[in-house]
Amino acid sequence: MKRIKFTELGFKKNFDSLIVIVGIVCLIIGLIAVFGFLNQRFSGLAGFSAVLTTFPQLKTYFYKNYFLWNKRGGTIKINSKGKTIVFNKTESYLIENDKIILFKKNKTHIEFSLKDINKEDIEKVEGILNNFIKV
């Protein structure tokens, strides 16, 4: 059974936001050092900041199945199909026959196959969608 990596986005919920902020601070210090206002040994911080700020975005490429969300919407990637959803533009959802179907208010739908996904993770996806999609 495959697992889904769950990440709730937001500064208080996620360590990645702190990493990006530290990266931005390192960028500022490094750029000031490059232009000669500080000691030159701090100029390496500009390159290090690039690693810090891109790490959280690259992390999702290492997972085959993940669900990133906040109070407005999220990104779901299950079994090589990834889509971004907005909760207030989603009318309802249905989980049956190893599928999850998200019905949008513009009468379209998004369908994900839940084949070989762990049952606990399916329940967690359903709980998250139940919290944010107002039926």
Side-chain angles (χ1 to χ4, degrees), residues 1-68:
M1 290 289 180
K2 298 177 189 174
R3 300 298 310 243
I4 297 175
K5 170 71 175 160
F6 293 94
T7 305
E8 185 172 1
L9 302 173
F11 186 71
K12 294 181 181 177
K13 311 272 188 207
N14 194 351
F15 186 66
D16 293 344
S17 300
L18 181 63
I19 291 173
V20 171
I21 289 173
V22 169
I24 291 171
V25 169
C26 289
L27 176 67
I28 292 169
I29 293 170
L31 289 177
I32 290 172
V34 165
F35 293 113
F37 297 115
L38 291 175
N39 193 342
Q40 287 292 56
R41 64 181 171 184
F42 290 120
S43 63
L45 287 176
F48 181 65
S49 70
V51 173
L52 286 177
T53 54
T54 58
F55 172 73
Q57 284 77 28
L58 291 176
K59 194 170 71 171
T60 58
Y61 292 108
F62 297 115
Y63 300 112
K64 295 206 179 249
N65 303 308
Y66 62 85
F67 188 7
L68 306 169

Side-chain angles (χ1 to χ4, degrees), residues 58-126:
L58 291 176
K59 194 170 71 171
T60 58
Y61 292 108
F62 297 115
Y63 300 112
K64 295 206 179 249
N65 303 308
Y66 62 85
F67 188 7
L68 306 169
W69 81 96
N70 62 13
K71 62 183 178 181
R72 291 186 172 187
T75 303
I76 302 174
K77 182 180 176 190
I78 299 175
N79 291 328
S80 299
K81 182 178 181 181
K83 289 287 184 179
T84 301
I85 59 170
V86 179
F87 293 136
N88 64 4
K89 292 183 180 179
T90 305
E91 191 173 271
S92 63
Y93 68 93
L94 179 64
I95 297 178
E96 65 177 18
N97 299 332
D98 288 333
K99 288 184 182 180
I100 183 168
I101 304 169
L102 299 167
F103 298 100
K104 292 184 171 186
K105 291 183 179 176
N106 64 358
K107 305 301 181 204
T108 61
H109 68 279
I110 302 171
E111 191 172 308
F112 295 98
S113 172
L114 297 175
K115 184 178 180 185
D116 296 330
I117 301 294
N118 193 343
K119 296 291 183 195
E120 295 171 5
D121 291 343
I122 294 172
E123 291 172 0
K124 190 167 183 177
V125 167
E126 185 175 16

